[in-house]
Structures are given as structure tokens and as C-alpha cells.
Amino acid sequence: MTNLFEKEKDSKNVVLKSNILGYFIQNGNSTTNDLAKEFNLSIPTMAKTINEMSAGGYVLEYGKLETGEGRRPNLYGLNPDSGYFIGVDMKQNSLSIGLMNFRGDLVDLMDDEPFECDNTQASLDELCSHIVHFIERIKVPREKVLNININVSGRVNPDTGYSYSFYNFSEMPLNAYISEKVGCDVSIDNDSRAMAYGEYMQGCAKGEKNVLFLNVSWGLGLGIIIDGNLYKGKSGFSGEFGHMHAFDNEILCRCGKKGCLETEASGSAFYRIFKERIRNGETSILKTKTGDGITLHDLVKATNQEDPLCIDILELIGHNLGMHVAGLINLFNPELVILGGTLSLTGDFILHAVRSAVLKYSLNLVNRDTQLCISKLKDRAGVVGACMLARNNVLQ
């Protein structure tokens, strides 16, 4: 992992400087006096630290603080161009790669590039090629790219760099393998967790500290934020909400087990049920596209065009999902539950179905403190979250 202050010999000073950058990110510009109070240090010590960070290019002077009287103190803040972070969000049939500066501004984006996410060496090589191409086309020196975070679905251990669901055919940690191929430090994390973090940092979370993010895409995942911190679990495997046993339907899930929640409450369930009902003679505005040509985005678009069949199926999926979201609310008592992922693009259609089931199956005393909403970042939650995690990895 890139060390921001690699020439520092004092580990305490490294931690202090990283914390100061984090403070600027969260609170904006500040004076030396206020920083000294925040970190319980003397003003001369803080002034020396800020001068060192300014010399290193991480801190800029932003004029003087307007005061009513006396000498006006200097304002210091983060230099947004002192470092950059790349986020890679893999979806079922596409890839999005974003570039974010240190302040958190998304300054470049390659969105929805065609890409087949398969557990093969060819797919992994293609992923690396896309990242290299993106690095070569951005107008940022490679040495200023401090970290690349890649979202991977399924079981991912971000601390060890191993993925156990995709690209798991090598003994080498996935992040180390990709790092060798692209020439930059690389980290990986679960896609739902990254989306939750992106929404928490730049989306619809406004002061809430306990947040659940439901990634309702081809599969079903959960990102958990407790007291303002991402919850990973012992091995990084938290949030496998879609693989709770929920139905006696004998439908084989992609995890290898039967009856998982994902089999009746996900994009793949939407796709399967739609095709079954078309074969049984029901009609849809998509009937001419049935077969391998239809995509999940086609189903979302048809729902938003008020196709009766798609709306009916989505309401069923929303009800199935809402029953188990009710259980999550009873367990976690969160302030906010966010519906994200591809199916969230249907907006009120899925929101109303989930909300109705939540009200029916959760405890009234618990659910009255929980707000349910649609993702603000929508289909950019993943790439924003990946960039944010890349920055967070460096700061830590």
C-alpha cells in the first residue's frame, strides 16, 4: 500500500498527518490554532507539521480567516491534486472506472464499458487491460495514482486481498496479481460494501451513522455501516444477505444451495420469472425480445414504461425482499435502509412494494425510526464507493 509519508521515521507523525488529511476531508479548511485544539497539540508543533505537509504538496494555504478584529490567521486545507484514486466497479455485463482527486471529486469516468465478468483468466486479463488503458488516457502522472480499488461480488477479504467467488484460481492474492499487471497499488473489496460506503460518503446518508445498503442487482448483497464504520466481519464476508435460506422452492442458487433469498428477490429472479411467464402465454411490451437478447436493463426499462407483467413481477420480488428487510430492521434498528443496485432504478415501483412488506412484517416500535429510500448515486454508487475506499485505504 502506498505510504503518503514514506520518508517519515516517526510512526506517530505519519498517523498525525494522515488524521489531519482526514480532518480536512471531513471538515474543510482550518487554522493552525483550531487544528492544534482538535488534536490536543501545541500551536508550534501543529504549525511545524502543517509546514511539512505544505512542503510535501498535501496542504495548501487558502488565504486568511475573516475575523472581526486582530490579526487574521491563515487558513489551510487539502490540496486536491496531491493524490488521485481509481475505482473499478464490475457489473454483470459492463465495467465502470472512475478517477477521484484527494478532495473526493470524480474528475474522470469511463462508464458502462462492455465487459463480461466471468471467473476465467481471459476475463481477468481483460479487466487488467481496461485498467491499464484508463491509466494511460487520464491526464495524471502514474505516481500520483495512490491506490486502485476494485469491486468484486461475492466473498472478498479486503485485508488479505483474496477473492473467493471471482478470479479465485490462483494462490496469489488477487490484488497483488492485478497490481503487478497494472503497475499501481491495488486493493479489492466486496461490491455491495463499496456501494454502501459511496452512498454513505456522498449519497443520501445525511448524518446517519447506522445504515444498511441493499444491492439489488443480478444478485442480492448487503452493505452494513455501524456507528459510521463499514462492518466487514471476521474474514470480510459480511453482507451475504442473498444467501440466507428463505424458500422451499428447490431452485438452485449460484452459490450451490437451494432456496436462497436471491432466488426469489433479485435481478436474476426477475429475469427467470419473466421468461417463465412469457412461455406460459402472458404478454409484455418486451415479448419480441424474449430469449437471450433480453437484459435486466430491458426489464427495468419496461417496468418504468408501466409494462403490466414487469410491474407485477417486480411487486412480487419487492414483497419477498421486504419480508426479509423487515427482519434486518428488527435486528439492526438502523436509521436508514437504502435500496440500490440495478432494480432500484425502477424507483417507486420497488420502493412501495418493499415498504409495504416492511410495515407488515417488522416491529412497529422499531421500524418507525427507520427511513427507507432509493439510492441517490444510483448506478454510480459502485464506482464512487470504490474510489472512496481507495482513498480510505491510503489514509489508514
Side-chain angles (χ1 to χ4, degrees):
M1 190 67 67
T2 296
N3 187 340
L4 284 176
F5 311 106
E6 55 187 14
K7 295 181 180 180
E8 290 279 357
K9 296 180 180 179
D10 186 348
S11 60
K12 290 184 178 179
N13 211 29
V14 171
V15 172
L16 173 61
K17 290 179 178 180
S18 294
N19 288 341
I20 290 171
L21 292 179
Y23 179 85
F24 285 141
I25 289 170
Q26 292 292 331
N27 302 283
N29 301 340
S30 186
T31 66
T32 302
N33 288 12
D34 289 339
L35 288 169
K37 291 177 183 177
E38 175 69 23
F39 292 96
N40 197 27
L41 295 170
S42 68
I43 294 175
T45 298
M46 182 56 70
K48 177 176 179 293
T49 304
I50 290 298
N51 286 337
E52 290 174 356
M53 295 175 72
S54 296
Y58 291 101
V59 169
L60 294 177
E61 183 180 323
Y62 286 93
K64 295 184 180 294
L65 179 66
E66 293 294 334
T67 58
E69 55 184 32
R71 184 177 178 183
R72 294 185 300 161
N74 292 333
L75 275 173
Y76 295 96
L78 186 69
N79 177 5
D81 298 321
S82 58
Y84 290 85
F85 309 91
I86 290 175
V88 181
D89 186 41
M90 290 191 291
K91 302 184 182 75
Q92 185 196 10
N93 302 115
S94 66
L95 185 73
S96 294
I97 307 180
L99 178 71
M100 183 174 283
N101 65 20
F102 225 130
R103 187 170 52 201
D105 305 318
L106 197 62
V107 295
D108 204 340
L109 179 66
M110 183 185 78
D111 204 16
D112 287 332
E113 188 78 9
F115 172 75
E116 291 300 322
C117 185
D118 298 318
N119 192 29
T120 63
Q121 185 65 49
S123 178
L124 178 55
D125 290 342
E126 184 185 358
L127 171 65
C128 293
S129 296
H130 279 297
I131 296 171
V132 169
H133 174 70
F134 183 80
I135 293 171
E136 289 173 346
R137 81 171 181 83
I138 59 176
K139 298 177 181 178
V140 172
R142 185 180 288 258
E143 61 271 16
K144 280 201 169 187
V145 177
L146 303 182
N147 187 250
I148 300 171
N149 189 82
I150 301 171
N151 297 343
V152 184
S153 66
R155 270 69 69 200
V156 176
N157 190 325
D159 296 328
T160 63
Y162 280 98
S163 168
Y164 297 88
S165 299
F166 277 93
Y167 308 141
N168 55 345
F169 36 75
S170 170
E171 293 184 5
M172 190 178 191
L174 180 60
N175 69 323
Y177 178 88
I178 299 176
S179 182
E180 279 191 4
K181 294 293 184 180
V182 305
C184 293
D185 280 343
V186 171
S187 56
I188 63 172
D189 213 322
N190 172 265
D191 55 349
S192 299
R193 194 155 50 228
M195 293 168 78
Y197 191 62
E199 198 70 46
Y200 178 73
M201 294 295 292
Q202 292 196 353
C204 55
K206 298 178 181 177
E208 292 88 354
K209 296 294 184 182
N210 299 287
V211 179
L212 301 178
F213 181 94
L214 289 155
N215 177 15
V216 197
S217 296
W218 187 254
L220 175 63
L222 176 69
I224 306 167
I225 294 174
I226 299 175
D227 197 24
N229 298 304
L230 272 179
Y231 181 75
K232 300 177 183 178
K234 170 66 176 177
S235 306
F237 302 157
S238 68
E240 291 294 343
F241 182 49
H243 300 295
M244 294 174 58
H245 182 78
F247 302 98
D248 293 322
N249 57 15
E250 292 301 306
I251 297 174
L252 186 66
C253 181
R254 57 179 176 165
C255 73
K257 299 184 183 296
K258 293 181 179 180
C260 290
L261 177 59
E262 186 174 296
T263 64
E264 300 287 3
S266 65
S268 57
F270 194 171
Y271 182 83
R272 186 195 75 247
I273 295 169
F274 177 84
K275 292 184 71 175
E276 288 173 354
R277 290 177 63 166
I278 287 293
R279 283 197 299 268
N280 289 336
E282 296 190 53
T283 60
S284 164
I285 60 176
L286 289 174
K287 192 168 184 179
T288 56
K289 288 192 69 175
T290 53
D292 294 335
I294 196 169
T295 67
L296 186 55
H297 282 284
D298 290 330
L299 295 174
V300 169
K301 184 177 179 181
T303 303
N304 291 330
Q305 292 175 339
E306 301 185 356
D307 178 70
L309 177 57
C310 286
I311 289 174
D312 189 56
I313 298 170
L314 190 70
E315 286 179 349
L316 174 63
I317 288 171
H319 179 80
N320 291 335
L321 180 61
M323 282 195 297
H324 295 275
V325 172
L328 292 178
I329 291 173
N330 288 345
L331 283 172
F332 287 97
N333 187 207
E335 299 155 87
L336 186 63
V337 175
I338 304 170
L339 296 180
T342 307
L343 291 197
S344 74
L345 300 177
T346 60
D348 286 341
F349 289 110
I350 192 167
L351 181 64
H352 289 161
V354 172
R355 180 178 285 136
S356 295
V358 164
L359 292 174
K360 182 176 181 180
Y361 295 105
S362 62
L363 295 169
N364 292 338
L365 189 63
V366 181
N367 69 41
R368 71 183 184 186
D369 294 326
T370 300
Q371 179 188 356
L372 187 66
C373 70
I374 294 291
S375 166
K376 180 180 177 181
L377 297 180
K378 300 186 184 300
D379 51 2
R380 288 193 178 181
V383 71
V384 169
C387 290
M388 286 284 176
L389 283 175
R391 184 180 69 176
N392 193 54
N393 290 335
V394 170
L395 287 174
Q396 289 184 342

